[in-house]
Amino acid sequence: MTVPTHVAIIMDGNGRWAAQRGWARIKGHKAGVQAVERILEAASDEGIQHLSLYAFSTENWKRPPAEVAALMALLRMYLRMFVHQLARKGIRFQHLGDLRGMPGGIQADIKTLEEATAGNTGMTFHLAVNYGSRLELAQAARRCVEDGLRPDQVDEAAFGDRLWTAGVPDVDLLIRTSGEHRISNFLLWQSAYAELYMTDILWPDFGPAALKEALEDYAQRERRFGGI
Ligand code: FPP
């Protein structure tokens, strides 16, 4: 079976999962973190080399302050607790997004986890927090100018090298849970030729079997990258 090198997931549906049970939204996010744990394990076992998860977008700051604060607290807890899981599976951690726009404590935790896992040689886990694709593209353009590139030097490679994903292969398979059919400003450049897989499963219910189903679907696709 052809295994995608880079899988990206828009983890959606935590709020609805909680609402279905009459619970507060934050309970859905907590269950969402447990799903992250399971999927990290499963993706690494499936031989995926890069897994990108969309945890918090540049637009998510518009959510009610209490939900934002709860998500940030969960994130901090996660960054501290899961270092053991990453070590056990040899997973390297890399943040995607605008680090400076986040609370100082989280910035420090992200850097600590990146440094602690830098020598791991298994799958790379890219966690997108305060991530927006348009922001990433705009800052890459700015960096081309700052680096003094002449117009004829600004090509796809030079631009790609200035994205947060510099050196990371393009997305092969983009999964979105919870029945929504949107890309929501996630990895727009990197997903130019990604295969899309949308499922009705809500993120907290997305487990290893659901991942396997997505991978089997992907393996059936014929990718032509614009050719014939
Ligand atoms: C979308 O569900 C989910 C989010 C905005 C947050 C995703 C976050 C997690 C899975 C937990 C945090 C992860 C880590 C690694 C700490 P929604 O709230 O938009 O759900 P809804 O569409 O049903 O309302």
Side-chain angles (χ1 to χ4, degrees):
M1 190 170 97
T2 315
V3 179
T5 301
H6 187 170
V7 175
I9 309 184
I10 302 174
M11 308 181 287
D12 198 6
N14 294 346
R16 275 163 288 167
W17 184 91
Q20 282 173 2
R21 290 158 178 77
W23 296 344
R25 292 174 59 80
I26 187 60
K27 276 203 163 185
H29 294 313
K30 281 189 184 151
V33 176
Q34 284 160 8
V36 169
E37 253 190 288
R38 291 194 299 268
I39 289 304
L40 268 179
E41 201 96 5
S44 157
D45 291 345
E46 294 286 353
I48 290 165
Q49 288 172 32
H50 295 269
L51 178 71
S52 296
L53 300 182
Y54 203 6
F56 195 86
S57 75
T58 45
E59 289 73 35
N60 284 151
W61 297 106
K62 290 185 282 199
R63 292 189 174 212
E67 185 176 345
V68 171
L71 271 169
M72 289 296 147
L74 259 187
L75 185 64
R76 286 204 75 174
M77 202 168 74
Y78 174 87
L79 291 171
R80 283 154 187 239
M81 278 173 47
F82 291 78
V83 64
H84 306 294
Q85 187 191 13
L86 301 188
R88 184 166 46 78
K89 301 295 281 186
I91 299 173
R92 195 171 144 216
F93 176 84
Q94 217 178 46
H95 170 249
L96 287 181
D98 182 15
L99 201 57
R100 287 164 309 174
M102 284 190 292
I106 290 199
Q107 292 189 28
D109 288 347
I110 284 177
K111 285 195 187 130
T112 302
L113 194 54
E114 283 183 339
E115 282 161 19
T117 62
N120 291 350
T121 54
M123 182 176 83
T124 305
F125 166 32
H126 308 268
L127 185 64
V129 186
N130 199 23
Y131 177 87
S133 212
R134 288 179 169 182
L135 179 66
E136 180 183 32
L137 295 169
Q139 69 84 37
R142 197 179 321 123
R143 285 173 63 190
C144 288
V145 176
E146 285 167 358
D147 292 346
L149 297 193
R150 294 190 314 268
D152 62 297
Q153 291 174 317
V154 183
D155 55 14
E156 292 182 17
F159 199 80
D161 285 346
R162 287 163 178 82
L163 297 170
W164 291 316
T165 51
V168 178
D170 280 351
V171 175
D172 298 299
L173 173 64
L174 176 65
I175 299 173
R176 182 170 190 143
T177 59
S178 93
E180 307 290 350
H181 294 180
R182 285 190 293 277
I183 298 184
S184 298
N185 204 16
F186 191 43
L187 299 174
L188 299 180
W189 173 282
Q190 300 84 344
S191 297
Y193 282 102
E195 295 295 324
L196 306 182
Y197 182 87
M198 313 291 174
T199 170
D200 287 340
I201 299 174
L202 304 176
W203 175 250
D205 292 328
F206 191 86
L211 178 68
K212 188 135 197 114
E213 223 169 282
L215 295 180
E216 279 165 4
D217 191 282
Y218 171 85
Q220 307 301 319
R221 310 271 182 106
E222 192 192 331
R223 303 185 74 195
R224 291 197 293 274
F225 298 95
I228 50 169

